[in-house]
Amino acid sequence: MKFTVAIDGPAAAGKGTISTAVAAHFGFAHLDTGLLYRAVGRKTLLGHDAVMAAKTLAATDLQETDLRTPEVAQAASKIAVLAEVRTALVDFQRNFAARDGGAVLDGRDIGTVICSDANVKLFVTASAEVRAERRYLELREKGHDVSRETVLADVKARDERDSQREAAPLKPAEDAIMIDTSDMSIDDAVKTAIEMVQTRLKPSNRT
Ligand code: C5P
């Protein structure tokens, strides 16, 4: 069975948690596509050329332990504006989506570009302040010495770059279902997402 769930949205909106939970619930495979961009961004911080890094990206690059740092996040959003970098990463993502048994991909352009024919498209969002607070707590828990102000500024800078770029900007697909998690517990957001996927899985709703 091929069944693709596309989950897009800005940084720290809850996409990762929702995607992991949806994949686990339905037994689908999950690809966090942000990791691809982070792996390329990380390489540029080490002096590599972004396009070359994207073209030669290996599975082991996705396992580096420092991909979740704020520095790598900013580097990722800088190389993500490059059309050539994005093109180099398309096949990997589409092949993943086409696997048997169902797949959840989360990112910024899954519903609009990578899997524009996905069976379910969700756009998970929340206010910049709520997202920054979540990211701040997450980073502090991991031992990063960051301030609330810096994290909010970082989130806003990434939002701006991701949504204003020419190549595959961050925006909801026309047929995406919006989930605003600003005033929602993560459990409720996960429940909502699972219900939406469940509805589309019903044979009468399959196209
Ligand atoms: O989702 P995550 O925060 O890990 O993504 C890091 C950066 O990678 C984003 O800020 C965005 O610039 C880029 N990205 C993208 N398209 C995707 C996934 C991530 O441009 N599908």
Side-chain angles (χ1 to χ4, degrees):
M1 178 201 70
K2 301 225 188 321
F3 192 91
T4 311
V5 182
I7 305 188
D8 291 305
K15 295 188 304 291
T17 311
I18 292 176
S19 305
T20 308
V22 167
H25 183 89
F26 294 101
F28 295 165
H30 172 217
L31 177 65
D32 169 359
T33 65
L35 278 185
L36 304 177
Y37 293 89
R38 284 175 183 260
V40 175
R42 176 182 172 277
K43 287 207 160 183
T44 62
L45 293 176
L46 299 173
H48 295 258
D49 172 70
V51 176
M52 196 49 77
K55 285 184 175 165
T56 56
L57 203 65
T60 47
D61 295 326
L62 305 183
Q63 280 145 25
E64 296 292 350
T65 51
D66 56 352
L67 293 176
R68 300 269 175 211
T69 66
E71 295 75 26
V72 170
Q74 289 299 331
S77 96
K78 286 180 187 159
I79 58 87
V81 306
L82 303 170
E84 259 188 288
V85 164
R86 307 197 69 84
T87 304
L89 301 175
V90 166
D91 284 352
F92 181 86
Q93 297 174 83
R94 290 203 176 134
N95 289 339
F96 190 94
R99 62 173 54 206
D100 261 336
V104 179
L105 284 83
D106 74 287
R108 302 291 188 289
D109 62 340
I110 309 302
T112 50
V113 176
I114 302 296
C115 304
S116 52
D117 57 352
N119 301 77
V120 185
K121 296 180 188 178
L122 304 179
F123 194 88
V124 183
T125 185
S127 72
E129 287 69 22
V130 167
R131 290 185 287 117
E133 181 65 17
R134 288 180 191 155
R135 187 49 53 93
Y136 168 76
L137 294 174
E138 193 184 307
L139 288 168
R140 294 295 286 210
E141 202 181 300
K142 285 187 192 156
H144 292 282
D145 183 21
V146 286
S147 71
R148 282 196 162 82
E149 293 70 31
T150 333
V151 176
L152 179 60
D154 277 5
V155 160
K156 286 186 170 170
R158 271 214 285 158
D159 282 358
E160 169 84 10
R161 219 180 282 124
D162 290 350
S163 51
Q164 298 306 318
R165 69 184 176 218
E166 251 175 63
L170 167 69
K171 63 172 181 198
E174 276 178 15
D175 49 349
I177 304 161
M178 305 293 287
I179 304 182
D180 189 328
T181 65
S182 303
D183 299 316
M184 236 185 206
S185 72
I186 193 62
D187 284 353
D188 284 344
V190 164
K191 219 172 123 214
T192 306
I194 288 176
E195 278 166 12
M196 285 165 181
V197 174
Q198 188 68 58
T199 307
R200 295 290 166 90
L201 264 172
K202 285 191 191 134
S204 55
N205 289 333
R206 300 282 302 275
T207 46

